[in-house]
Structure formats: C-alpha cells, structure tokens
Amino acid sequence: MREIGMYIHIPFCKQKCLYCDFVSFSNKESKQDSYINCLIKELEYKVSSDYLINTIYIGGGTPSYLEQGSISKILLAIRNNYKIKEDVEITIEINPGTVDTKKLEEYKEAGINRVSIGLQETDNNLLKEIGRIHTYEEFLDTYKLIEKIGFTNKNIDFMIGLPNQTINNIKESLEKVINLNPEHISMYSLILEEGTPIYNKVKKGELELPNEEEERMEYWYLKNKLELAGYKHYEISNFSKQGKESKHNTNCWNQNEYLGFGVAAHSYIDGIRYSNIDSLEKYIENIEKNNIEQNKLIQEEQNEEDKEKEFMLLGLRKIDGVSIQDFKAKYGKNPICVFKESLQKLVEEGLLEVDLDKIKLTNKGLDLANLVWEEFV
C-alpha cells in the first residue's frame, strides 16, 4: 500500500489580498454548494485501494470562509472513500475573522489536528496596505479562540519584504508572535507576481519595497531570533518546535506522492505531475456533466533524469539538505557522481557544502538559493 498525501483546494475568499496570485475568488459565494458537491464527486472518482492517506491539507483561498458544516462534509467523504493512516496530519488554513466557536469545534470533531493561521504582520497599517481583511487585534481573538478549543499544533504565517515594512516592524511583530508560543512559524518573502494589484502599485511607484540588502537583513534577524527562541529552522521558510514540522510539506520536499482535489489543485503520481483546470465554472460544469477527466491537465511526465534533478532541487530547500543515502536508496546512484560538475561549481562558489552523507546550503547559499536551484531545473 502506498502512503500518499492529499491536498484539497478551497478557492473562495471574502476578499483577495493585493499580493495574491493563487487561484482564488471573491464574490462567488453562490457557487460554494455546487463546488463542494463537485469536489466530493471528484474524491469518489479517484478512489484507489492502493492508497494510504498520511496527510490531508485543506488550503486556499480561505477554507475557513466556507459555511459551517462544509469542511466536515468534505472530510467525511474522504474517510468514506479512502484508507486513512491512524496518525494522519490534517491541516486547515484559517484567516482571522472567518471562524467562530462552532466552526472550530466542527473542525476538531472532524479530525483536524493542525491549524495554519494567516497573520503576515502585526502592524495594522501594513496589513491594510497589502489588502488583508483583518487587524492584529482580530488575529489575536482568533488565535485565542483556537487555543481555547484545544488545537495544540498551530502555525502562524508571517511575511517580510512588504512595502514600507522596516526592520523595526519586523522586530516588534516577531516579539509578539514568539510570545504567543505557536508550534510552527512560516516566514515568506513577498514575491511580486505580475498582474496582482500590489505589482501594479510598485511598478507605478505608488509603493516602495525594501531593497535586497534590507530584506536579507530581515531574514537573518528572523532566523537568529527564532532559533534563540527554540524553533528549529528545518526548511528555508519554515521553523518549528521539536516534532512539529509540517508533515504535508515535508513529504513534498522529500518528493513523495500526493493527490490534489478541486479547481487548480496539483497532483504527483508515478512521475507525472498534473493539475485541474483553473476555471471555477468549467471545473463545476465538467463534473456535473460527468466529464471529470476534462478537468485534468498534464504538466510534466518525468524521466529518470528529471526525477533525480527534482529530488536535489526539493531536497536543497531543507536546511539539513539532501541525504546521499536516501538518493542512493531511491535511484541506485551516488548524487555526487551524477551531479559532479554542478556540485563542484556550487561548492567552489561557497553556496553548498558536502560531507559524508549530506549536500546542503551554506549560509551564503541560503541567501542565493535560487542560483543553487537553477542548477537542477
């Protein structure tokens, strides 16, 4: 039986953030019921007795924006159709102001055991500037409610590189986040995605981003501060208390397989990457007409070389790096021999270090990780 991850995409939002490039929609609440029914049909269509689900990740969009009862309905469909590992990790993404006691109790009763809360910043002016729908005070109310319900595995999302964000903002915000003592903290740099409102504002000169040097200073301040506070830096953007690493994301970085359900959701099975179409209306129409396969788009069919390169690229996101023994066990080769020229170049440039069992980023490599990953594309 194959252990496999599962991703469920919920594309609805109360309001789309100004930096967001994900497939998500506001003002389409009328389609929620149809979407959930179609999502369940897709779940029932792809059933295989060969799969043992070890993680379930409900992302978006804003999954917590769905009406009460919707999430438990989806999870019931999963349990009715798939074999679930006893210690399965089930994560849901939540935005402040979109949950109440009844919803959170529903999530806990349905088996959700990990909650990821979008904060991004504690400064209300900065939150407003990037299009977040909540204040820091509303985030605190939501966080305290999540604790009260009894969730003991909580992630907080935080962003750096925001317009008008200073190192003092970072210091003040991080202190507040650490004092909340979450089990996990994800820290992302703002990426300007073409076509987003924030991209257009920056291009027009209406907003100014920190320069590269300032952003790297923010990153290293965060890294050092979080490690001193007892968080393990285990992936380039992720920190956790001992044993609280995200199993779902770690599976992806280890090149394990996963199934995606819902509009624009991606899957990786047998060396094939595919996604569902990103049109909400077309996704629903195809399933209602029993044309589920028409939602499927093949993105990549990997050969052995592709798989080996990807193993390196994904593995070098992890702070511990790529295990040479794991590569050998999976592909029957030594990665030092397979990628001799690239590794030699990256070591000479001070971006990688290699020992008896690990190939990993140096501190310089953390700053220039994109240059490292390009070698394995």
Side-chain angles (χ1 to χ4, degrees), residues 75-92:
L75 285 169
L76 180 61
I78 295 171
R79 292 186 185 281
N80 285 343
N81 290 281
Y82 294 84
K83 293 179 181 176
I84 310 296
K85 197 172 182 183
E86 191 172 334
D87 64 346
V88 62
E89 175 192 87
I90 308 178
T91 303
I92 187 169

Side-chain angles (χ1 to χ4, degrees), residues 62-71 92-109 115 138 141-151:
T62 309
S64 54
Y65 188 50
L66 291 181
E67 291 183 0
Q68 187 181 335
S70 301
I71 295 297
I92 187 169
E93 292 180 348
I94 286 176
N95 267 350
T98 61
V99 291
D100 55 20
T101 299
K102 287 185 177 179
K103 269 191 187 179
L104 290 170
E105 287 175 341
E106 171 207 336
Y107 298 164
K108 197 159 185 27
E109 190 174 331
V115 176
E138 288 168 329
D141 289 342
T142 298
Y143 188 85
K144 289 173 183 175
L145 191 56
I146 288 166
E147 282 193 315
K148 182 181 177 183
I149 299 301
F151 287 98

Side-chain angles (χ1 to χ4, degrees), residues 49-173:
S49 59
D50 189 37
Y51 298 149
L52 178 64
I53 308 302
N54 58 15
T55 68
I56 301 170
Y57 194 101
I58 307 171
T62 309
S64 54
Y65 188 50
L66 291 181
E67 291 183 0
Q68 187 181 335
S70 301
I71 295 297
S72 55
K73 187 177 178 181
I74 293 167
L75 285 169
L76 180 61
I78 295 171
R79 292 186 185 281
N80 285 343
N81 290 281
Y82 294 84
K83 293 179 181 176
I84 310 296
K85 197 172 182 183
E86 191 172 334
D87 64 346
V88 62
E89 175 192 87
I90 308 178
T91 303
I92 187 169
E93 292 180 348
I94 286 176
N95 267 350
T98 61
V99 291
D100 55 20
T101 299
K102 287 185 177 179
K103 269 191 187 179
L104 290 170
E105 287 175 341
E106 171 207 336
Y107 298 164
K108 197 159 185 27
E109 190 174 331
I112 290 172
N113 50 28
R114 185 172 183 272
V115 176
S116 182
I117 317 145
L119 169 62
Q120 318 313 351
E121 244 289 353
T122 67
D123 185 288
N124 288 336
N125 291 325
L126 291 177
L127 288 172
K128 187 176 181 180
E129 208 157 62
I130 62 175
R132 298 294 291 177
I133 62 171
H134 61 86
T135 63
Y136 173 59
E137 291 72 26
E138 288 168 329
F139 161 82
L140 276 181
D141 289 342
T142 298
Y143 188 85
K144 289 173 183 175
L145 191 56
I146 288 166
E147 282 193 315
K148 182 181 177 183
I149 299 301
F151 287 98
T152 58
N153 196 354
K154 303 174 294 297
N155 171 63
I156 293 177
D157 281 344
F158 189 77
M159 293 181 74
I160 63 172
L162 300 177
N164 300 320
Q165 187 183 42
T166 66
I167 189 65
N168 286 332
N169 289 130
I170 299 286
K171 290 179 178 180
E172 184 177 336
S173 294

Side-chain angles (χ1 to χ4, degrees), residues 266-277:
H266 286 243
S267 301
Y268 178 60
I269 302 289
D270 295 326
I272 299 175
R273 291 192 183 279
Y274 64 91
S275 68
N276 282 332
I277 57 176

